[in-house]
Amino acid sequence: MPDTDIDPLSAVTHPDPYPYYRELAASQPFFRDDRLGLWVAAGPQEVADVLAHSDCRVRPPAQPVPPALAGTAAGELFGRLVRMNDGAAHAPLKALLMPMLAGIDPAAAAQRATVLAAVLDAGEASWAAMSGECINRWLFTLPVVTVADLLGLPVANEGSSAAEAAQRVAAFAGAQSPLADAPAVRAGAEAAQWLGHWLADAADGAGPLPALRQAARAAGIDAQAVAANIIGLLVQACEATAALAGNTLLRLGRDTTQSGLPLDAVVARVAREDPPVQNTRRFLAADAQLCGHAVKAGDAVLVLLAAASCSGAAASERPWTFGHGRHACPGDRLAQALAAATVAALRARGADPAALAQAFRYRPSLNARIPHFL
Ligand code: HEM
């Protein structure tokens, strides 16, 4: 019997969406879902074709900023992100950001995360309870704080400012969801402002930021655009890495045979088999032929990365959850190293994956599969 309780959006937080995704990839690799008002790409070839198509843009052409954020500090910041933009104006900054990220060694990042975990310990009242709340907080804090530290932002000395910066990043990330309510959007706007000041006040430390700022100045790139994209990197590191680490805890808790494997191997498997980012979207800038269908300017395509991932087709080297093509994630190796380091830090502090897997739900989301431990 087909599962009628599931659709391409509810699949993201369904207990086991993978049989559904596999079926879609095999029998409906590209189709129109009239109820959702979206085209859906599910087959690996179709997913790759949409992500490669020059008329498929990361934002609707008439709506560069989500309407709920427009006119707020969060909207202003969002509009400057290279992640959310296909415009030529963003290319020079992107050309500076990508090599900077590529220059971060994932193994060194994992080591740094271990050091920063000890800094965060200072802010914990007690590890004895090891509550779900404490696990959730660490999943959303340690990867973000580590990326901030690797870039040279001042987080390594005080547990509390590190935790506050991570909280603000999470608030800004949360406000970008179409599911965000009015208080979440307000918190996101406040967070954007807070992060802007934090970054402006941060003295030049070690790390690649001073060189990035200098190169940007030399190329005539607006300092505010640089600042926005540094915050953007922390945002990219936030929910998806928390989800990858959280789904790894679930995998370890459900299947004890995995705990003998190196953690990096478990994380890599989770990225393919229970991926943190399940879909992304593209918006047609012009009428076009896409996967054999006539699509119209303004149409939206839901790109099911998770369906491509579990379709059984020869997997590419890169897990689909990190995207493909011009906007593919440049933080993929870093994210996997940070997720493994976060899981290792939590296990070292007594987190029990089997117990965690008994009591969790998925956070409401239309694209990320993020466990929330109870
Ligand atoms: C498990 C963690 C992560 C996942 C699953 C993930 C996934 C993705 C995906 C799917 C995209 C492409 C979106 C699209 O094409 O629509 C993307 C883009 C991006 N990611 Fe990640 N990401 C993760 C962690 C990170 C980290 C840690 C960083 C950097 C510190 C990062 C930086 C970026 C940037 C800058 C882009 C935009 C690239 C562009 O617009 O060309 N990501 N990520």
Side-chain angles (χ1 to χ4, degrees):
M1 279 287 284
D3 184 343
T4 49
D5 287 343
I6 189 167
D7 69 33
L9 290 178
S10 69
V12 172
T13 50
H14 187 281
D16 181 15
Y18 301 108
Y20 167 75
Y21 279 140
R22 259 191 294 276
E23 170 67 25
L24 275 190
S27 63
Q28 289 182 279
F30 190 86
F31 67 100
R32 175 88 193 163
D33 185 318
D34 281 323
R35 209 176 54 78
L36 298 178
L38 294 164
W39 293 97
V40 179
Q45 188 58 51
E46 289 73 12
V47 165
D49 287 352
V50 174
L51 295 178
H53 200 286
S54 60
D55 291 326
C56 291
R57 307 290 164 80
V58 288
R59 289 291 311 160
Q63 197 192 86
V65 171
L69 301 187
T72 72
E76 210 175 299
L77 209 161
F78 187 98
R80 294 197 166 101
L81 298 180
V82 297
R83 155 75 181 85
M84 286 302 170
N85 219 293
D86 290 289
H90 292 250
L93 178 52
K94 187 162 158 168
L96 297 177
L97 285 170
M98 297 298 151
M100 179 185 80
L101 269 184
I104 298 176
D105 170 30
Q111 273 172 11
R112 203 59 204 144
T114 309
V115 172
L116 289 160
V119 174
L120 292 180
D121 276 336
E124 288 300 330
S126 155
W127 276 103
M130 189 49 78
S131 61
E133 189 200 326
C134 173
I135 304 280
N136 297 326
R137 194 165 58 244
W138 272 60
L139 293 174
F140 273 83
T141 304
L142 187 53
V144 171
V145 164
T146 308
V147 173
D149 176 79
L150 291 166
L151 296 176
L153 290 164
V155 288
N157 300 323
E158 310 144 60
S160 61
S161 90
E164 167 140 41
Q167 240 168 44
R168 300 291 188 163
V169 168
F172 178 50
Q176 296 179 20
S177 164
L179 300 179
D181 56 14
V185 169
R186 259 198 312 279
E190 272 171 35
Q193 247 165 355
W194 189 95
L195 289 163
H197 292 308
W198 180 62
L199 206 67
D201 293 345
D204 272 357
L209 278 192
L212 174 76
R213 287 191 170 119
Q214 207 180 353
R217 248 194 321 273
I221 298 167
D222 171 27
Q224 281 183 311
V226 179
N229 279 282
I230 292 161
I231 296 169
L233 290 181
L234 304 180
V235 170
Q236 292 287 147
C238 176
E239 293 187 343
T241 315
L244 181 56
N247 291 337
T248 301
L249 285 168
L250 287 178
R251 172 63 65 97
L252 291 169
R254 287 168 174 159
D255 179 357
T256 49
T257 62
Q258 307 272 314
S259 54
L261 295 174
L263 206 41
D264 287 338
V266 183
V267 169
R269 190 176 279 188
V270 169
R272 290 198 160 76
E273 296 174 5
D274 195 17
V277 173
Q278 301 248 313
N279 66 57
T280 186
R281 294 187 190 213
R282 289 296 185 266
F283 302 88
L284 270 295
D287 293 356
Q289 277 292 318
L290 190 59
C291 304
H293 293 256
V295 294
K296 295 247 165 286
D299 283 359
V301 188
L302 186 69
V303 182
L304 300 185
L305 301 169
S309 197
C310 68
S311 64
S316 59
E317 211 180 292
R318 217 184 132 82
W320 283 101
T321 193
F322 294 107
H324 265 244
R326 332 190 258 299
H327 285 281
C329 180
D332 57 336
R333 290 171 57 240
L334 175 60
Q336 293 181 82
L338 292 178
T342 302
V343 171
L346 287 170
R347 281 164 104 193
R349 286 159 180 77
D352 173 8
L356 291 170
Q358 294 298 316
F360 76 98
R361 59 175 172 76
Y362 289 106
R363 283 174 185 258
S365 173
L366 299 180
N367 76 317
R369 188 167 175 83
I370 316 174
H372 176 85
F373 297 103
L374 302 175

